[in-house]
Amino acid sequence: MRDLFDRILANKGPLGKWASQAEGYFVFPKLEGTISNRMKFQGKEVITWSVNDYLGLANHPEVRKVDAQAAADYGSAYPMGARMMSGHTDLHEKLQNELASFVNKESAYLLNFGYQGMVSTIDALVSKDDIIVYDVDSHACIIDGVRLHMGKRFTYKHNDIESLEKNLERATKMAEQTGGGILVISEGVFGMRGEQGKLKEIVALKKKFNFRFLVDDAHGFGTLGKTGAGAGEEQGVQDDIDVYFATFAKSLASTGAFIAADKEIIDYLKYNLRSQMFAKSLQMQLVVGALKRLDMLRTMPELKNKLWENVNALQSGLKERGFDIGTTTSCVTPVFLNGSIPEAMALVRDLRENYGIFCSIVVYPVIPKGLILLRMIPTTSHTLEDVNETLIAFDAIRERLTNGTYKRLSAAVAAAMGE
């Protein structure tokens, strides 16, 4: 019998094996200073395109004031205990009611964390006789929730309605045998590439198939739709989403999440969501802070307007310069380049050290070999000056990538990696 840790010591995983070369700079970097369009990285000011503070609320003076007062009033522990036992308050209910109203649902329920909450929501919604059909590019929280499912599950090709329909046909035949139902899962906005899920087309399939629809709208909530109620509002199908999920970690610049649906469904979930039943209640300072942020989202449309001014300036500027930003239909702005992992490391170091631009880098195995994805998140806090500086920097790094500069600079790293 082998020691349990033998495997771990021998194989640190597809990303972990590069920790010695990447940690502290390319992964687990330390941004410092107040959350804003410009922060400090290793002592230098950089334009930050990697913070999901869409509406610029993280360091807004009104938000900071409310957060500080809530911490003074309640501390960081209140209420103690799980919601079902001793952690329930009027303010938790108030926030739930306001969230439900905002996303046009009968009822809502707070979740301590988005990732944890999505995993538990999927687990609670289905039994072993039910079938799950979900987009192959779904976020890890959806994939992990599906992993808990003891019944059958099918993936459909990303945003491919024909593929979804074929899998719904398979799922329908199976459900007729098991006596179960079907749950379809999509994201409102796919956070890596920025594409909206084809919610309208998926909803249209309800005329042909009997299924319920769960949408993870973490990146759409607050950024899409006339009022900011998300991708469902943007596409005119919010009423047809059976279970709507969003997190506070993006537009609301906080911690927590919520699900919204018909009252009977929420009543069932709040008694069966294991991650909430057996976990401490969301802290009061976060609840009070979320109420303030939601109020600003409702009453200050200029926040979303400024966000989209910056999004449009950045995305149109990149396209005019011939950059490939994929098929994004949201604030998420990907830039696709051709190159190896060592070249990507040299490129990103150049961006940060010589141009003061900090954005996330995504490489194989998250995306196919030979591709480099630079992922940018425009926010309300950014300025058109930030956009222009970034466009100039991107012109320069593309030239260096094309003329082989990064290949030469990364030769030693490439050799060490066997590339």
Side-chain angles (χ1 to χ4, degrees), residues 57-306:
L57 296 180
N59 200 42
H60 194 287
E62 291 185 40
V63 167
R64 290 285 293 265
K65 181 179 179 181
V66 168
D67 285 352
Q69 188 60 52
D73 290 343
Y74 298 103
S76 61
Y78 185 81
M80 288 298 294
R83 292 279 297 279
M84 293 184 74
M85 304 301 288
S86 56
H88 189 62
T89 73
D90 287 341
L91 287 178
H92 284 74
E93 287 189 351
K94 176 179 171 63
L95 178 56
Q96 288 173 172
N97 291 337
E98 293 193 12
L99 285 166
S101 176
F102 183 68
V103 298
N104 198 35
K105 295 297 179 189
E106 282 185 356
S107 189
Y109 195 65
L110 293 180
L111 308 168
N112 291 355
F113 295 99
Y115 197 110
Q116 172 201 61
M118 175 55 75
V119 169
S120 195
T121 296
I122 295 171
D123 179 52
L125 283 172
V126 293
S127 72
K128 65 179 179 60
D129 296 325
D130 299 322
I131 293 88
I132 298 176
V133 184
Y134 65 106
D135 192 296
V136 71
D137 277 3
S138 291
H139 188 271
C141 66
I142 294 172
I143 293 171
D144 284 353
V146 172
R147 283 176 174 172
L148 291 178
H149 180 43
M150 292 185 291
K152 293 291 184 180
R153 80 289 300 266
F154 301 111
T155 59
Y156 62 93
K157 295 176 185 177
H158 174 56
N159 261 352
D160 187 323
I161 299 304
E162 183 179 347
S163 175
L164 171 58
E165 190 164 358
K166 288 179 180 177
N167 280 284
L168 280 171
E169 289 172 355
R170 297 168 66 194
T172 298
K173 291 177 182 177
M174 192 162 289
E176 288 170 351
Q177 295 172 0
T178 64
I182 300 172
L183 176 67
V184 173
I185 308 175
S186 175
E187 295 188 49
V189 172
F190 290 85
M192 193 62 67
R193 292 179 170 86
E195 302 149 321
Q196 289 183 45
K198 293 189 175 179
L199 311 187
K200 187 173 183 178
E201 291 87 343
I202 294 172
V203 163
L205 289 177
K206 284 188 171 185
K207 297 175 182 176
K208 185 175 180 181
F209 300 97
N210 182 16
F211 64 86
R212 293 296 184 172
F213 191 23
L214 166 62
V215 173
D216 175 348
D217 203 25
H219 289 273
F221 177 74
T223 68
L224 292 174
K226 183 178 179 181
T227 70
E233 181 183 52
E234 176 80 11
Q235 298 183 34
V237 293
Q238 184 72 0
D239 291 347
D240 298 295
I241 295 172
D242 296 295
V243 182
Y244 179 86
F245 165 95
T247 176
F248 300 161
K250 306 311 193 277
S251 289
L252 295 192
S254 186
T255 299
F258 71 98
I259 46 175
D262 290 347
K263 184 178 184 303
E264 284 191 51
I265 304 306
I266 294 299
D267 285 346
Y268 170 83
L269 288 172
K270 72 182 183 182
Y271 282 93
N272 291 278
L273 281 167
R274 294 175 65 82
S275 67
Q276 308 308 306
M277 293 167 62
F278 302 106
K280 184 180 179 297
S281 177
L282 193 66
Q283 298 150 310
M284 188 66 89
Q285 67 197 72
L286 296 175
V287 173
V288 173
L291 281 165
K292 174 61 178 178
R293 290 160 168 83
L294 179 60
D295 181 63
M296 293 174 72
L297 175 56
R298 282 187 307 226
T299 61
M300 298 173 66
E302 64 269 22
L303 294 172
K304 186 163 74 72
N305 293 340
K306 176 59 177 172

Side-chain angles (χ1 to χ4, degrees), residues 18 339-344 363-364 369-370 410-419:
W18 305 118
S340 65
I341 293 177
E343 286 176 296
V363 293
Y364 179 83
K369 269 190 176 181
S410 65
V413 175
M417 296 172 65
E419 294 205 356

